[in-house]
Amino acid sequence: MRRSKEDAEQTRQAILDAAEEIFCSQGVAAATLEKISHRAGVTRGALYWHFKDKADLLQALHDRSRPVQDAMIRAAAQDGHEDPLGLLEQAATDMLVAFEQDARQQRMFMIMNFTSPDEGGAAWLRQVNAELFLTLSSLIGQAEQKGELTPDFSPNEVTVIMIATLNGFISDWLRSGRLFPLADLGARLVKRQMSLFRREKLTSSDDVPA
Amino acid sequence: MRRSKEDAEQTRQAILDAAEEIFCSQGVAAATLEKISHRAGVTRGALYWHFKDKADLLQALHDRSRPVQDAMIRAAAQDGHEDPLGLLEQAATDMLVAFEQDARQQRMFMIMNFTSPDEGGAAWLRQVNAELFLTLSSLIGQAEQKGELTPDFSPNEVTVIMIATLNGFISDWLRSGRLFPLADLGARLVKRQMSLFRREKLTSSDDVPA
DNA sequence: GTTTACATACATACGCGGATGTTTATAAAT
DNA sequence: ATTTATAAACATCCGCGTATGTATGTAAAC
């Protein structure tokens, strides 16, 4: 019973959806192509028609989620902003809010974060983190050039801290079964933490010549 | 060729060492008992003599690393300290220093952190994190009762933030291939971050006008 | 009529667990 | 002190299930 092209695309998406759920709940290694295709309401034949093998499936899953990730990264990449650290703070909290409401993003994070490096998961996360590092680094570099950065940390160190904190926050939130308000607590933390990175304005007897 | 009891214990440890390395480099799921036993210089027969199956091996691996974890946790559990937050800061930096120098701890963290939940990895991490949460929570609770805690965060929130930050820091450090100084940067971050949790002593004006 | 979009059937490989064989430490008996 | 029995500490081998990949069938879409 051959389907139309739209139907074919629909089954393809169904397979991707099923893979997302199975990969997330069972883990990539334990996930069987039979389980995935059965969950999608098709047979392994259909899966092998659309995808070469399990790795290709994971790749496709990754490609499908890339636009969202890219959008979030670009949202923080606006150049020449007059308040880079403020923009960074805003972007981070926005990201947390969006993440908390998007089950698909959460599943992708779990899949890529909990999958072992040899299965391509780490490579993906590395790439995303590298792009994120570059954009954040750019923003923070702008802040430094404007003299807004504390001397306590170098720009690269601030970038590392930001990424590690956000990653750890999200990881723990997912691992804990979402039992604390990610965006709320995260936003408050980011706000306070950002103050650690800002050069102190002027506390009574501080001589800071420009 | 029957070995003496010391020899037997030695091969048992050799198997555990091999499992630690293989699990860490290949991932738990991709790790074959044949690979592990071959790495240990024995056959699968020996492995099955000492351990019931792969899950049992992982359990034994976990048990072997427990004393270290417990020691670190207890190090932060001294009750009735006159400066709970200071103790917490000290314990956290000490933990980072020790972790940075202990390859075995690093491997165990990677194994348990990157292994999928269904294979027992997450359960282990959950338990350790739960104990850690309780001890930290106790410390921070003491700080609150002494009125040393900021009103910005609840004690539980502070605990969550501390654990998430440390976890994220360690995870990113391992994932990045150790390309930033974990203990050094971590200690400086913890020191500054801890100031966010302390109730401000008395700064003339405490609110920041835009 | 040809290609598409699958389903079905089968061939292959691999890892696991267990059965069994073998050697030797160790204790008990002599 | 020597012998004997038992069980520890492995090695070797094999059967089984299971996942994977491929080859083929087939009905509908183009």
Side-chain angles (χ1 to χ4, degrees), chain A residues 1-4 7 11:
Chain A
M1 319 182 166
R2 172 164 179 215
R3 317 291 171 75
S4 68
D7 287 342
T11 58

Side-chain angles (χ1 to χ4, degrees), chain A residues 2-3 8 11 42-43 45-46 49-50:
Chain A
R2 172 164 179 215
R3 317 291 171 75
T11 58
V42 293
T43 64
W49 170 255
H50 286 284

Side-chain angles (χ1 to χ4, degrees), chain B residues 1-5 31-34 44 48 53-54:
Chain B
M1 10 177 126
R2 169 151 185 229
R3 315 293 171 75
S4 67
K5 307 212 175 203
T32 291
L33 298 187
E34 149 67 23
R44 278 177 49 246
Y48 272 103
D53 52 15
K54 195 194 275 190

Side-chain angles (χ1 to χ4, degrees), chain B residues 15 34 56 64 78 98 100 102 114 118 137 146 154 161 163 170 184 189 198 205:
Chain B
I15 292 173
E34 149 67 23
D56 189 40
R64 192 172 68 156
Q78 306 162 24
E100 192 174 19
D102 191 340
F114 296 159
D118 63 305
S137 199
K146 300 182 75 169
S154 77
I161 290 174
I163 293 180
I170 292 176
D184 172 62
L189 172 63
R198 287 203 170 88
S205 60

Side-chain angles (χ1 to χ4, degrees), chain B residues 4 52 67 70 83 95 100 105 118 130 194:
Chain B
S4 67
K52 182 171 172 288
D70 287 357
D83 182 15
M95 188 269 272
E100 192 174 19
Q105 260 188 279
D118 63 305
M194 207 62 77

